[in-house]
Amino acid sequence: VRDVSYLEQDGQKFVAAQLTDRDIACWWTDADAKEWRASLAVAAPERVTAIRVGRNGALVAGTDRGNVYHWLPQPEMRLTDVSPVGGGGITALEWVLGGKSWVAGTEDGSVSGWFRAPFGVGNASAMVRAHTYEPQSSAIVAIAMSGRERSFATAGRDGTVVLRHFTSERVLTHVSIGEAAQA
């Protein structure tokens, strides 16, 4: 197993594990405690670089080609979108408080926020890039969300940490811990 993500919500459990460069195994329980399993894969020649389970079992998987795959359990896992994030490979993913939006960080330090938006007639919807944030000077290696508000921190490979607000796209503070961490 190369990466794993877990969420428990309202008595339901959701687990996703990256098994190989392309393959992800999922296990979840529904509201009636029935167990479900699925095997998912990204398109060749892409490789999975990050996974994250979100609210109600939504799963996002980033790739080395800068795409994010999005699946929903309904009750079987169904691929709903492939979002072209860009900025090099996806290096970090995280769901925003509320669980309907996610943030992606890339190899070139780009950070963007995404959510599902309706379009056209009927119930059609698609993932859209809702926010583009000030980039960092190195690859994003981690994203940490606030458990109380819509702010988040991104950590760069160079030791910089940027605290941001999701909706307003404001930078709240920059902290450089690279030199201190290496001392």
Side-chain angles (χ1 to χ4, degrees):
V1 174
R2 297 176 182 191
D3 195 4
V4 66
S5 183
Y6 171 73
L7 175 75
E8 186 171 348
Q9 174 188 322
D10 301 327
Q12 294 179 266
K13 295 174 175 63
F14 304 93
V15 178
Q18 179 186 351
L19 303 177
T20 69
D21 282 348
R22 294 185 49 232
D23 300 307
I24 301 166
C26 297
W27 173 90
W28 69 99
T29 60
D30 63 20
D32 299 322
K34 181 178 179 183
E35 292 186 13
W36 296 84
R37 296 174 190 266
S39 296
L40 311 173
V42 299
E46 292 186 278
R47 292 181 307 107
V48 174
T49 54
I51 61 172
R52 192 64 70 224
V53 174
R55 182 176 157 193
N56 298 323
L59 173 67
V60 287
T63 72
D64 63 334
R65 301 283 174 110
N67 290 317
V68 174
Y69 288 67
H70 181 268
W71 289 273
L72 290 174
Q74 300 175 340
E76 304 280 332
M77 290 300 272
R78 181 176 64 87
L79 180 64
T80 61
D81 296 276
V82 179
S83 304
V85 173
I90 304 298
T91 52
L93 291 167
E94 190 58 76
W95 289 92
V96 177
L97 180 67
K100 294 187 177 188
S101 304
W102 47 269
V103 175
T106 66
E107 288 176 348
D108 74 355
S110 297
V111 180
S112 57
W114 297 73
F115 66 85
R116 178 171 297 287
F119 71 91
V121 180
N123 292 330
S125 62
M127 283 291 169
V128 296
R129 181 189 316 259
H131 303 285
T132 302
Y133 303 94
E134 176 184 312
Q136 284 179 239
S137 59
S138 67
I140 305 300
V141 295
I143 301 171
M145 300 307 298
S146 168
R148 298 181 58 170
E149 60 179 0
R150 296 179 69 83
S151 60
F152 65 99
T154 54
R157 186 168 287 135
D158 63 357
T160 59
V161 176
V162 179
L163 183 60
R164 309 164 189 269
H165 188 265
F166 182 79
T167 309
S168 70
E169 300 179 13
R170 286 183 332 144
V171 170
L172 304 174
T173 192
H174 288 265
V175 179
S176 181
I177 58 173
E179 292 177 18
Q182 295 172 4

